């Protein structure tokens, strides 16, 4: 289960590592709990790993709540603080492992600064060799809940235009 930031829904994903060349290319089908979930064509000669998405899992409820969005002006600069809370609930009768992704804003301008804080430290701070994509691997028991608070602080000059986030 993967819970991306842009879409507050849990999607079912599967990943199969690169297999030796003796495995033929063809259609890969996924079954979950004895039910057919979906299929995808796979070319064994080009993929390093097979990654497949099988849609939304209605039994994993995701809620993203904006806690605050404050703008705080000071003499020479302004500051914006954005806070969100992620709440994930497993409605299945069995435990699941979920991955939450959160991209950490980065400045490309010396006049703009960012600082991100999390109520729970990320499991990793990069994904697929891409830096600044934080992820949390969580185990959710049946009917279990998980909450994560994320805060991003942005500081920028009061005057002029700002770009670079």
């Amino acid at each position: 289960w993967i819970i991306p930031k842009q879409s507050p829904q849990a999607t079912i994903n599967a990943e199969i590592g690169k297999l030796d060349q003796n495995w033929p290319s063809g259609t890969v089908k996924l079954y979950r709990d004895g039910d057919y979930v979906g299929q995808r064509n796979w070319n064994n000669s080009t993929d390093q790993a097979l990654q497949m998405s099988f849609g939304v899992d209605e039994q994993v409820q995701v809620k993203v709540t904006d806690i605050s969005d404050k703008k705080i002006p000071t003499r020479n600069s302004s500051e914006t603080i954005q806070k969100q809370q992620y709440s994930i609930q497993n409605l299945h009768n069995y435990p699941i492992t979920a991955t939450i992704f959160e991209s950490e804003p980065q400045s490309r301008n010396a006049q703009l600064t960012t600082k991100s804080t999390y109520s729970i430290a990320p499991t990793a701070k990069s994904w697929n060799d891409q830096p600044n994509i934080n992820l949390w691997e969580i185990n959710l028991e049946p009917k279990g809940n998980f909450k994560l608070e994320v805060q991003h602080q942005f500081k920028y000059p009061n005057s002029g235009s700002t770009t670079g986030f």
Side-chain angles (χ1 to χ4, degrees):
W1 286 263
I2 304 219
I3 303 164
K5 180 180 180 183
Q6 310 87 297
S7 169
Q9 297 177 327
T11 58
I12 302 169
N13 293 286
E15 182 174 335
I16 302 170
K18 176 73 175 155
L19 301 174
D20 66 39
Q21 294 298 318
N22 294 327
W23 286 86
S25 298
T27 302
V28 175
K29 296 181 180 181
L30 178 67
Y31 290 84
R32 186 183 84 196
D33 301 329
D35 296 325
Y36 175 73
V37 177
Q39 68 182 30
R40 177 177 165 197
N41 287 326
W42 174 46
N43 183 348
N44 189 32
S45 64
T46 60
D47 290 342
Q48 290 299 317
L50 174 63
Q51 296 183 359
M52 302 184 304
S53 178
F54 292 95
V56 174
D57 183 349
E58 293 84 11
Q59 296 297 307
V60 178
Q61 299 294 310
V62 180
K63 183 178 178 185
V64 180
T65 305
D66 285 323
I67 299 172
S68 70
D69 189 358
K70 298 181 193 174
K71 292 187 179 179
I72 305 166
T74 60
R75 186 168 185 226
N76 295 322
S77 66
S78 291
E79 179 179 296
T80 299
I81 298 173
Q82 297 176 341
K83 286 184 180 182
Q84 290 87 32
Q85 181 184 65
Y86 293 87
S87 300
I88 296 94
Q89 182 177 19
N90 175 15
L91 300 176
H92 290 286
N93 292 325
Y94 50 85
I96 64 166
T97 299
T99 304
I100 300 171
F101 291 96
E102 220 292 321
S103 58
E104 188 170 312
Q106 299 295 308
S107 173
R108 288 180 254 148
N109 180 330
Q111 294 181 323
L112 310 173
T113 61
T114 66
K115 180 181 177 186
S116 298
T117 56
Y118 307 98
S119 61
I120 299 170
T123 307
K125 293 189 174 207
S126 69
W127 175 70
N128 284 351
D129 296 325
Q130 298 178 51
N132 306 314
I133 298 178
N134 296 321
L135 61 96
W136 289 260
E137 292 279 345
I138 60 170
N139 296 314
L140 277 171
E141 293 300 319
K143 312 300 182 203
N145 291 298
F146 174 81
K147 290 188 189 286
L148 171 68
E149 288 187 13
V150 174
Q151 176 177 300
H152 299 298
Q153 178 182 22
F154 307 93
K155 288 185 180 179
Y156 45 92
N158 274 338
S159 60
S161 62
T162 55
T163 61
F165 279 110

